[in-house]
Each structure stands twice: as C-alpha cells, then as structure tokens.
Amino acid sequence: MLLADIGGTNARFALLAGGSVGRVTHMAVRDHGSFREALDTYLGSLPEAGTISAAILAAAGVIGNGHCALTNNSWVIDAEELRAVYGFTNVRLLNDFEAVAWALSCLPAEKLLPLGGGLPIAGAPLAALGPGTGLGMAACIPHATGRLVLSSEGGHSTMAGSSSREDAVIALLRQRLGHVSAEHVLSGGGLENLHQALATLDDLALPGRRAAEITRAGIEGTCPTSRAAIDMFCAMLGTVAGNLALTLGAKGGIFIAGGILRHMPEYLARSQFRARFEDKGRLREYLEPIPVWLILDDDAAFVGLHALAEVEGIG
C-alpha cells in the first residue's frame, strides 16, 4: 500500500507492507510540477511499484469527493484519476492533519516534548494543531468502539489580538490582506508577516527575511525584530491552542505538530506559549491541567496513516 503526506512545501512517500511502514522518502514540492510528477519519481525508484494495490494520501487542503486542490501550492490530487492511471483498487484521500490526529494515541513518549499541564483524562478528546506552510488542525474523539477523527479548517478562523501590540499588528495585516486568519500569523508565511508588521510599527527599514532566517536570528538574538516576531508567534500559538482546547473540551491533551517548532523546541518551552494557553479568565482552572506536547517526529502522519489503514481495512 502506498502512503503519502503531501504538504505545501514537502511531499513524503512510503510503503506499508507486512504490517510495517518502510523508509519515508522526502521530496521538495518546488522540484516537481504536479503531484503525479512527484509520485512517478517516487514509484520509479521502487522495484515493487507494480505490486501496489491501494493508497492512502494525506494532503494539506480541503477534501471533497475524493479531490483536493492543495491550499498552499498548485498541486491537485484526484482519487479517481489515480485509480485509473495507476490501477489502484482503493484510494483514500484525507486532510494532512486528519492523519496526524489518527496518530495521537499511538505516539511514543520519546517523540513528545511536554509543554505543561497534568495528566490526560482517559476517554477525553485530543486535538492537534501545527504551524508549517499553513496551520493545520484536527481532533480525535475516543468512543466505545474505537475513535472518531474530525478534520478541521480552523487555521482559517479569524485571528484576534490579546494585547494592544498584537491588535496593532493585526490592524496592519488587515490593511494588506483583508481577513486576517490564524494561519496568516501562525505559519511560515505568518512569521514573515509578523516580522514585517513589527518592523513597520517600529519604523524600521529592515530587509525582508524568510521564516527560517527569522527563526535563526530570533533564537540567536542577532535581530531584535526577529526575536519579537518569534515571541509573538509563540504567544499567539498559545492563545489559539487554548481556544481549541476550550472548543473541543480536549482534556485528553493538545499536540503541537508542524515543521517550524521542531527547530525551536527549547525556545517554545521557555516562551509565553503556556501562559497564553491558560490565560482565559474564569476558565484558567479548566485549562491548567490540560497537557500539551510538541510532537518531535517529523513523520508522525505516517503513524496515523498506518493506524487508519488497520482500522478501515484498506488494502
């Protein structure tokens, strides 16, 4: 069985055979003009490609009728086309964070960095969110016969400020973007938006920086604006994560995924993330016990895809 995790920046492929997931192959989206081009490259490297009978594909976008136009790149994935072209008898297409949510109850402790809170409550909902090229969200709700996974486009919900400084940043972004979503500040491009807006507010003429450069300069302390941007990023993420926990009653825990924060785990742990997660007025005591973890496994989605294959008997 073919497994894939397709994001805005990276595409990952692996095979599920004999009950285990093989080596995960990473590709840069920018190196391939389409999903099929990337898939052909991957399959061309496999001597066993002709024996693949089914596929489960996680994609960073809205899924509808077996079709996905990815939100943050030009790729399109269509299940019916893949069945016709590659002869797969079964193609399952799901949102990328839905795949992460399938993994939440299966991740080993050594792949998780605790970010405060107490013990999870058995049987309570779990939720995942994560800033990468976009901002993904999903939930896992245990029930008597297994678990129910809910996909979400919560990353596109409206972002609200929690201070006059954040209000000013959002006001600047609103002039340029119109609607300011959580993804507009909590993603790679969102970090760049924060850096640019803070420079404007402080009347600084700074060169544009990519998210990786902002992260590095902020952690190293070589650029005060970059430091301010990642500080605001972590604080806003805490606010959004707390909102998600309240909305879902996620007393089973909140899991932070996405590529950005795996490059700064210690910084996130020292940041205002946890304080802002709990800063919900009368509901502070509700949130204080809820555990939060940073997922350290870059390929956690494949744990979820494997779990989904077993639950649904896809093959």
Side-chain angles (χ1 to χ4, degrees), residues 129 137 157-163 166 182 186 234-248 254 272-290 292:
L129 74 161
M137 292 186 188
S157 60
T158 304
M159 187 70 208
S162 295
S163 67
E166 290 181 5
L186 297 175
C234 292
M236 285 178 153
L237 182 64
T239 291
V240 172
N243 289 345
L244 185 60
L246 288 174
T247 300
L248 295 172
I254 296 289
Q272 287 295 303
F273 169 84
R274 184 72 206 193
R276 288 282 290 273
F277 177 82
E278 298 175 359
D279 187 17
K280 301 296 184 186
R282 294 178 295 171
L283 270 293
R284 177 182 295 277
E285 291 184 2
Y286 181 97
L287 288 163
E288 283 176 345
I290 295 180
V292 180

Side-chain angles (χ1 to χ4, degrees), residues 37-52:
E37 182 181 314
L39 178 56
D40 286 342
T41 299
Y42 174 67
L43 295 177
S45 69
L46 300 177
E48 63 270 57
T51 66
I52 298 171

Side-chain angles (χ1 to χ4, degrees), residues 23-67:
R23 181 177 65 88
V24 178
T25 297
H26 293 226
M27 298 181 183
V29 167
R30 66 174 180 273
D31 292 338
H32 302 277
S34 67
F35 170 73
R36 279 188 50 192
E37 182 181 314
L39 178 56
D40 286 342
T41 299
Y42 174 67
L43 295 177
S45 69
L46 300 177
E48 63 270 57
T51 66
I52 298 171
S53 62
I56 309 180
L57 313 173
V62 178
I63 311 297
N65 297 317
H67 182 90

Side-chain angles (χ1 to χ4, degrees), residues 8 34-35 50 83 94-95 103 107 112 120 140 160 181-182 188 205 211 219 255 266 279 314:
S34 67
F35 170 73
R83 280 191 286 267
L94 67 157
N95 178 265
L107 294 171
L112 299 170
C140 177
S181 68
I219 292 172
F255 296 77
E266 295 85 4
D279 187 17
I314 298 172

